[in-house]
Amino acid sequence: MAIEILDSVVANQIAAGEVVNRPSSVVKELLENSIDSGAARVQLVIKDAGRTLIQVSDNGCGMDREDAQKCFLPHATSKIRTSEDMMKLRTMGFRGEALASIAAISQVELKTRREQDETGTKVIIEGGEIKQVSDVACPAGTCISVKNIFYNTPARRNFLKSDQIENSHVNDEFLRVALIKPEVAFGYVNNERNMHNLTTGNAKKRIIDLFGSSLSGKLIPLNESLDLVKIGGFVCSADFAKKNKSWQYFFVNGRFMKNNYFANAVERAFGNLLGEKTYPAFFITLDLPPENIDVNIHPTKTEVKFLDDKMIYSVLHAATKRGLGQYALSNEISFTKPAIEFPQVSASTPLPKAPQIRFDPSFNPFDTSDSRPLTMLQEKPVVQPSLFEKDIPELVPTPTNRPAERENRELNLMQVAERYIVVRSKESVLLIDQSRASQRVIYESVLGGETPKTLCQNLATPIKHFFAPHISFQLVELLPALESYGMKMEYDKTDGGFFLVAKSPSNSAEECFETAQNLVEDKQNCFASGSQNEKRAMMIAQKNKIPYGQVLSNQQMQTLISQLFSCRECNLTPEGKKIIIRLTTDDLDKMFE
């Protein structure tokens, strides 16, 4: 087979497979170009999760007519001239593949003007071919609109996920650029809804603007400066740990990166402060000489290779530990006792009266009858030993003043330590974990298509709660699905970011807020059948199961046992933990040897 040189359009479409795999990839490239242009204000507009329109406008340096056309050529860049320049990079993009790849699989319109020019340039490109170049009146800077992404490669368009998932990826790219550039103002509009309007400020203000005021007071600054590396940014206090790693951000020389090795250094610094299966949230910047890193090892440049990563690991671990220690000292409880102020006593001040001791002269402590006065019985009620606290031989009849216990004995049910239910039969004893049993019952009930009404309670007064903008945007789309979790929330249109909670599982609004946020942060969340239904049922069951330590009446125990034995699987919880332990007569004989 003869070897042919690919057409430039086809070559660009192939290159786009590495650089542009979804709308968020376009957002990343265009935002980084705006930052590199020296813009002080950047505006992002999205329609239909980026399928219909992705528009980025800025007030940067702009381009003349020649550069406006040349920027769409393959490997056209203003960042490097020689291979040595690659080791001195301080900018975002540099390879010159982005615009050529984007233009190859979409319809692009570019408007740009330099400050010193009277008119700007308009360029229209479709499928990598320039259709029009003309003069246009436009503000200084650049505005680039990418329309109908993958219109000429429909197979790749079919691989795009739902609007919710694609919007989530777009939002992630916006956050990564906006976080590291607090000196730049950003705007973000999605489907004509204003998502962000970020003003300039410092790094702490930008984090709070993006992730919500709940972070205020939780950000612990890091500050370590060595010749090898300079570490800055913030880690969140241990009580703000998350159940996933979505709030972990590393930036090296102003560029977002993923690095599990360095994330482990931060986690180790927290030690035992973190709960089980929780991860610290952080926003950490690393600044080091460009020649000590290689950012050209991944198409999206989210992975960076370090010359001395082990040393940086040690410095990062120490810096985090020092920051946590200083935070703990600043929040240390003061044990200094305030001065005691004694009231001034004068001759006319009446003296306090001595307490009067009242007693019943007829009371005989050795009298076991119940002939004592009623007032004494009310003050000192007689408590008979519980059957669960004292071993009583089965053959010895023991009177009791607790009707509930007597009824349980008659029906062969007992509750032990307010954790287990004992079911006695003629030849065996069943030990049932009350919490796990209720979890299995609720799980199968929800899996069967119903949410028990007892788990969904109307709140007496709707509670207003603020979610960070990047959470609230996606949460609006999930409101109908949240009702299947026993939650009813409404978006407050008069006050952006706030939601009204009218119904919540177990009458706990805090759990409702946490559940809603976890669902939004779950990138695989689609509320489909199969595994997602099971996940939903498990979460509802976990949050609403009977807790240990709760006293159950005889009727409650009877109902729970009946529902448990009606389940398809009554021996194991959804996670596979034992619910029932059966002890036969033979088992008991072996125990007693």
Side-chain angles (χ1 to χ4, degrees), residues 503-523:
K503 182 185 289 185
S504 173
S506 300
N507 204 25
S508 173
E510 288 300 325
E511 286 189 4
C512 184
F513 305 147
E514 181 182 354
T515 300
Q517 182 158 323
N518 288 340
L519 290 176
V520 171
E521 292 176 350
D522 183 3
K523 300 299 185 298

PDB file of all heavy atoms in Angstrom, residues 503-523:
ATOM      1  N   LYS A 503     -39.013  19.648  52.363  1.00  0.00           N
ATOM      2  CA  LYS A 503     -39.173  18.263  52.812  1.00  0.00           C
ATOM      3  C   LYS A 503     -37.808  17.608  52.862  1.00  0.00           C
ATOM      4  O   LYS A 503     -36.982  17.816  51.975  1.00  0.00           O
ATOM      5  CB  LYS A 503     -40.085  17.492  51.868  1.00  0.00           C
ATOM      6  CG  LYS A 503     -40.352  16.059  52.288  1.00  0.00           C
ATOM      7  CD  LYS A 503     -41.154  15.316  51.238  1.00  0.00           C
ATOM      8  CE  LYS A 503     -42.578  15.812  51.179  1.00  0.00           C
ATOM      9  NZ  LYS A 503     -43.399  15.014  50.239  1.00  0.00           N
ATOM     10  N   SER A 504     -37.574  16.837  53.917  1.00  0.00           N
ATOM     11  CA  SER A 504     -36.260  16.239  54.084  1.00  0.00           C
ATOM     12  C   SER A 504     -36.387  14.890  54.783  1.00  0.00           C
ATOM     13  O   SER A 504     -37.296  14.701  55.601  1.00  0.00           O
ATOM     14  CB  SER A 504     -35.363  17.171  54.911  1.00  0.00           C
ATOM     15  OG  SER A 504     -34.132  16.567  55.225  1.00  0.00           O
ATOM     16  N   PRO A 505     -35.513  13.924  54.478  1.00  0.00           N
ATOM     17  CA  PRO A 505     -35.533  12.647  55.200  1.00  0.00           C
ATOM     18  C   PRO A 505     -35.227  12.846  56.672  1.00  0.00           C
ATOM     19  O   PRO A 505     -34.338  13.606  57.047  1.00  0.00           O
ATOM     20  CB  PRO A 505     -34.424  11.834  54.521  1.00  0.00           C
ATOM     21  CG  PRO A 505     -34.206  12.496  53.214  1.00  0.00           C
ATOM     22  CD  PRO A 505     -34.509  13.950  53.432  1.00  0.00           C
ATOM     23  N   SER A 506     -35.984  12.161  57.509  1.00  0.00           N
ATOM     24  CA  SER A 506     -35.737  12.152  58.964  1.00  0.00           C
ATOM     25  C   SER A 506     -35.749  13.546  59.576  1.00  0.00           C
ATOM     26  O   SER A 506     -35.136  13.784  60.597  1.00  0.00           O
ATOM     27  CB  SER A 506     -34.400  11.467  59.285  1.00  0.00           C
ATOM     28  OG  SER A 506     -34.424  10.150  58.830  1.00  0.00           O
ATOM     29  N   ASN A 507     -36.428  14.469  58.927  1.00  0.00           N
ATOM     30  CA  ASN A 507     -36.570  15.814  59.466  1.00  0.00           C
ATOM     31  C   ASN A 507     -35.223  16.487  59.699  1.00  0.00           C
ATOM     32  O   ASN A 507     -35.045  17.303  60.587  1.00  0.00           O
ATOM     33  CB  ASN A 507     -37.351  15.779  60.783  1.00  0.00           C
ATOM     34  CG  ASN A 507     -38.012  17.124  61.077  1.00  0.00           C
ATOM     35  OD1 ASN A 507     -38.289  17.897  60.164  1.00  0.00           O
ATOM     36  ND2 ASN A 507     -38.255  17.391  62.344  1.00  0.00           N
ATOM     37  N   SER A 508     -34.205  16.106  58.912  1.00  0.00           N
ATOM     38  CA  SER A 508     -32.864  16.667  59.067  1.00  0.00           C
ATOM     39  C   SER A 508     -32.488  17.440  57.821  1.00  0.00           C
ATOM     40  O   SER A 508     -32.172  16.847  56.786  1.00  0.00           O
ATOM     41  CB  SER A 508     -31.851  15.551  59.338  1.00  0.00           C
ATOM     42  OG  SER A 508     -30.532  16.069  59.325  1.00  0.00           O
ATOM     43  N   ALA A 509     -32.517  18.760  57.893  1.00  0.00           N
ATOM     44  CA  ALA A 509     -32.181  19.580  56.739  1.00  0.00           C
ATOM     45  C   ALA A 509     -30.689  19.514  56.428  1.00  0.00           C
ATOM     46  O   ALA A 509     -30.286  19.572  55.270  1.00  0.00           O
ATOM     47  CB  ALA A 509     -32.601  21.026  56.983  1.00  0.00           C
ATOM     48  N   GLU A 510     -29.857  19.363  57.460  1.00  0.00           N
ATOM     49  CA  GLU A 510     -28.412  19.319  57.234  1.00  0.00           C
ATOM     50  C   GLU A 510     -28.038  18.115  56.371  1.00  0.00           C
ATOM     51  O   GLU A 510     -27.203  18.214  55.476  1.00  0.00           O
ATOM     52  CB  GLU A 510     -27.667  19.265  58.580  1.00  0.00           C
ATOM     53  CG  GLU A 510     -27.691  20.562  59.361  1.00  0.00           C
ATOM     54  CD  GLU A 510     -27.055  21.709  58.584  1.00  0.00           C
ATOM     55  OE1 GLU A 510     -26.083  21.479  57.841  1.00  0.00           O
ATOM     56  OE2 GLU A 510     -27.540  22.842  58.713  1.00  0.00           O
ATOM     57  N   GLU A 511     -28.658  16.963  56.643  1.00  0.00           N
ATOM     58  CA  GLU A 511     -28.392  15.791  55.814  1.00  0.00           C
ATOM     59  C   GLU A 511     -28.873  16.020  54.382  1.00  0.00           C
ATOM     60  O   GLU A 511     -28.268  15.544  53.421  1.00  0.00           O
ATOM     61  CB  GLU A 511     -29.085  14.563  56.404  1.00  0.00           C
ATOM     62  CG  GLU A 511     -28.416  14.014  57.656  1.00  0.00           C
ATOM     63  CD  GLU A 511     -29.006  12.680  58.070  1.00  0.00           C
ATOM     64  OE1 GLU A 511     -29.865  12.175  57.327  1.00  0.00           O
ATOM     65  OE2 GLU A 511     -28.608  12.154  59.119  1.00  0.00           O
ATOM     66  N   CYS A 512     -29.940  16.775  54.247  1.00  0.00           N
ATOM     67  CA  CYS A 512     -30.469  17.086  52.925  1.00  0.00           C
ATOM     68  C   CYS A 512     -29.458  17.902  52.135  1.00  0.00           C
ATOM     69  O   CYS A 512     -29.202  17.639  50.965  1.00  0.00           O
ATOM     70  CB  CYS A 512     -31.784  17.849  53.065  1.00  0.00           C
ATOM     71  SG  CYS A 512     -32.611  18.207  51.511  1.00  0.00           S
ATOM     72  N   PHE A 513     -28.852  18.906  52.764  1.00  0.00           N
ATOM     73  CA  PHE A 513     -27.862  19.739  52.092  1.00  0.00           C
ATOM     74  C   PHE A 513     -26.647  18.914  51.677  1.00  0.00           C
ATOM     75  O   PHE A 513     -26.144  19.033  50.559  1.00  0.00           O
ATOM     76  CB  PHE A 513     -27.410  20.886  53.011  1.00  0.00           C
ATOM     77  CG  PHE A 513     -28.529  21.740  53.528  1.00  0.00           C
ATOM     78  CD1 PHE A 513     -28.460  22.314  54.787  1.00  0.00           C
ATOM     79  CD2 PHE A 513     -29.661  21.956  52.760  1.00  0.00           C
ATOM     80  CE1 PHE A 513     -29.492  23.098  55.260  1.00  0.00           C
ATOM     81  CE2 PHE A 513     -30.699  22.735  53.229  1.00  0.00           C
ATOM     82  CZ  PHE A 513     -30.616  23.304  54.489  1.00  0.00           C
ATOM     83  N   GLU A 514     -26.178  18.063  52.594  1.00  0.00           N
ATOM     84  CA  GLU A 514     -24.993  17.251  52.318  1.00  0.00           C
ATOM     85  C   GLU A 514     -25.263  16.265  51.185  1.00  0.00           C
ATOM     86  O   GLU A 514     -24.431  16.086  50.288  1.00  0.00           O
ATOM     87  CB  GLU A 514     -24.571  16.501  53.582  1.00  0.00           C
ATOM     88  CG  GLU A 514     -23.330  15.647  53.399  1.00  0.00           C
ATOM     89  CD  GLU A 514     -22.965  14.871  54.654  1.00  0.00           C
ATOM     90  OE1 GLU A 514     -23.618  15.086  55.694  1.00  0.00           O
ATOM     91  OE2 GLU A 514     -22.045  14.044  54.582  1.00  0.00           O
ATOM     92  N   THR A 515     -26.443  15.638  51.211  1.00  0.00           N
ATOM     93  CA  THR A 515     -26.785  14.678  50.164  1.00  0.00           C
ATOM     94  C   THR A 515     -26.863  15.345  48.812  1.00  0.00           C
ATOM     95  O   THR A 515     -26.338  14.843  47.816  1.00  0.00           O
ATOM     96  CB  THR A 515     -28.125  14.007  50.490  1.00  0.00           C
ATOM     97  OG1 THR A 515     -28.014  13.335  51.750  1.00  0.00           O
ATOM     98  CG2 THR A 515     -28.495  12.996  49.410  1.00  0.00           C
ATOM     99  N   ALA A 516     -27.514  16.511  48.754  1.00  0.00           N
ATOM    100  CA  ALA A 516     -27.654  17.233  47.489  1.00  0.00           C
ATOM    101  C   ALA A 516     -26.293  17.604  46.919  1.00  0.00           C
ATOM    102  O   ALA A 516     -26.039  17.451  45.720  1.00  0.00           O
ATOM    103  CB  ALA A 516     -28.506  18.479  47.696  1.00  0.00           C
ATOM    104  N   GLN A 517     -25.387  18.076  47.772  1.00  0.00           N
ATOM    105  CA  GLN A 517     -24.070  18.473  47.289  1.00  0.00           C
ATOM    106  C   GLN A 517     -23.271  17.261  46.830  1.00  0.00           C
ATOM    107  O   GLN A 517     -22.575  17.322  45.807  1.00  0.00           O
ATOM    108  CB  GLN A 517     -23.314  19.217  48.388  1.00  0.00           C
ATOM    109  CG  GLN A 517     -21.942  19.704  47.951  1.00  0.00           C
ATOM    110  CD  GLN A 517     -21.443  20.854  48.800  1.00  0.00           C
ATOM    111  OE1 GLN A 517     -22.197  21.711  49.219  1.00  0.00           O
ATOM    112  NE2 GLN A 517     -20.151  20.877  49.060  1.00  0.00           N
ATOM    113  N   ASN A 518     -23.372  16.141  47.547  1.00  0.00           N
ATOM    114  CA  ASN A 518     -22.651  14.938  47.132  1.00  0.00           C
ATOM    115  C   ASN A 518     -23.144  14.427  45.786  1.00  0.00           C
ATOM    116  O   ASN A 518     -22.359  13.943  44.966  1.00  0.00           O
ATOM    117  CB  ASN A 518     -22.803  13.848  48.192  1.00  0.00           C
ATOM    118  CG  ASN A 518     -22.011  14.150  49.456  1.00  0.00           C
ATOM    119  OD1 ASN A 518     -21.082  14.949  49.431  1.00  0.00           O
ATOM    120  ND2 ASN A 518     -22.391  13.543  50.555  1.00  0.00           N
ATOM    121  N   LEU A 519     -24.448  14.534  45.550  1.00  0.00           N
ATOM    122  CA  LEU A 519     -24.997  14.081  44.276  1.00  0.00           C
ATOM    123  C   LEU A 519     -24.485  14.937  43.122  1.00  0.00           C
ATOM    124  O   LEU A 519     -24.183  14.432  42.048  1.00  0.00           O
ATOM    125  CB  LEU A 519     -26.526  14.125  44.319  1.00  0.00           C
ATOM    126  CG  LEU A 519     -27.199  13.094  45.223  1.00  0.00           C
ATOM    127  CD1 LEU A 519     -28.701  13.311  45.235  1.00  0.00           C
ATOM    128  CD2 LEU A 519     -26.886  11.689  44.767  1.00  0.00           C
ATOM    129  N   VAL A 520     -24.391  16.234  43.359  1.00  0.00           N
ATOM    130  CA  VAL A 520     -23.894  17.123  42.309  1.00  0.00           C
ATOM    131  C   VAL A 520     -22.429  16.835  42.017  1.00  0.00           C
ATOM    132  O   VAL A 520     -21.993  16.825  40.865  1.00  0.00           O
ATOM    133  CB  VAL A 520     -24.073  18.595  42.720  1.00  0.00           C
ATOM    134  CG1 VAL A 520     -23.351  19.526  41.744  1.00  0.00           C
ATOM    135  CG2 VAL A 520     -25.548  18.961  42.752  1.00  0.00           C
ATOM    136  N   GLU A 521     -21.654  16.565  43.048  1.00  0.00           N
ATOM    137  CA  GLU A 521     -20.225  16.336  42.860  1.00  0.00           C
ATOM    138  C   GLU A 521     -19.922  14.968  42.277  1.00  0.00           C
ATOM    139  O   GLU A 521     -18.803  14.705  41.841  1.00  0.00           O
ATOM    140  CB  GLU A 521     -19.497  16.493  44.198  1.00  0.00           C
ATOM    141  CG  GLU A 521     -19.507  17.933  44.702  1.00  0.00           C
ATOM    142  CD  GLU A 521     -18.883  18.070  46.070  1.00  0.00           C
ATOM    143  OE1 GLU A 521     -18.608  17.031  46.703  1.00  0.00           O
ATOM    144  OE2 GLU A 521     -18.679  19.208  46.517  1.00  0.00           O
ATOM    145  N   ASP A 522     -20.920  14.074  42.260  1.00  0.00           N
ATOM    146  CA  ASP A 522     -20.742  12.751  41.673  1.00  0.00           C
ATOM    147  C   ASP A 522     -20.883  12.856  40.165  1.00  0.00           C
ATOM    148  O   ASP A 522     -21.958  13.019  39.620  1.00  0.00           O
ATOM    149  CB  ASP A 522     -21.791  11.786  42.228  1.00  0.00           C
ATOM    150  CG  ASP A 522     -21.602  10.374  41.706  1.00  0.00           C
ATOM    151  OD1 ASP A 522     -20.624  10.148  40.960  1.00  0.00           O
ATOM    152  OD2 ASP A 522     -22.423   9.513  42.042  1.00  0.00           O
ATOM    153  N   LYS A 523     -19.774  12.774  39.444  1.00  0.00           N
ATOM    154  CA  LYS A 523     -19.789  12.970  37.994  1.00  0.00           C
ATOM    155  C   LYS A 523     -20.543  11.856  37.275  1.00  0.00           C
ATOM    156  O   LYS A 523     -20.931  12.009  36.137  1.00  0.00           O
ATOM    157  CB  LYS A 523     -18.348  13.036  37.467  1.00  0.00           C
ATOM    158  CG  LYS A 523     -17.546  14.178  38.067  1.00  0.00           C
ATOM    159  CD  LYS A 523     -18.166  15.509  37.742  1.00  0.00           C
ATOM    160  CE  LYS A 523     -17.300  16.661  38.225  1.00  0.00           C
ATOM    161  NZ  LYS A 523     -17.111  16.687  39.661  1.00  0.00           N
TER     162      LYS A 523
END
